[in-house]
Amino acid sequence: MKTRRGRFLVLEGLDGAGTTTQASRLCSWLAARGRKAHLTAEPSKGPVGTGIRQILSGRLLGTGGAPFDPRALALLFAADRLDHWESEIRPNLEAGVDVVSDRYVLSSLAYQGVTTGDAPWVTAINGRAPAPDLTLFLRVRPAVALRRRYAATAEREIFEVPEFQRRVHRAYGRALGGIVEAGERVVEVAGEQPVDRVAADVARAVEKVLA
Ligand code: TMP
């Protein structure tokens, strides 16, 4: 008997929107329903993703100690994505396992759309990344998201700056419109609710793609 392909589900939102918490909750919810679920994230744990994490933390700089070039970083995110897809996402889906990813293409469209100032190019370099079955966007106001993030950890990544997060928030809005227009399935969830309520809304949306 042919194994039924798993579902590919993605959590998206600003830093501090709760994507990590909700991705993990969603995996537990899927497992409780007797499904096999695999939790993953981007940047991935692969070689490119590991390098990206070093750049984001400021430990790795560009040549001569200059800030890393935003276009080069956009290409690294896109390269990490294809490697992640081939090595981890696709094999799990084909084995009938649901894959829940904390971030995917939409993050690049929003963040790299801002850092490169060239959203169409960012869309183009991510053109080979297969679409998820469902993207869940956790909508949280930038100031609220950043306050949560600062409360959670003392470590600061290069993107965790108020003005930048506001610009990313607006870019998420534009990018969401684009992927909906392209026929992708996206559900927005009110991310400022208590964690359990957000998890319930996420589960309700996922239930529809499992049917
Ligand atoms: P994280 O905080 O969810 O681990 O993600 C790390 C940072 O990387 C976060 O600020 C969002 C950013 N990011 C991008 O800029 N582009 C991308 O494509 C991805 C996946 C993440």
Side-chain angles (χ1 to χ4, degrees), residues 137-149:
F137 177 68
L138 306 182
R139 184 172 285 281
V140 174
R141 284 167 294 172
V144 175
L146 210 55
R147 212 177 305 134
R148 283 187 185 172
R149 181 75 197 157

Side-chain angles (χ1 to χ4, degrees), residues 13 26 29 41 47 60 75 78 81 86 122 132 141 154 188 190 204:
L26 176 56
W29 181 83
L60 191 65
L75 288 165
R81 189 154 293 130
E86 281 302 326
V122 178
R141 284 167 294 172
E188 275 197 37
R204 204 169 307 120

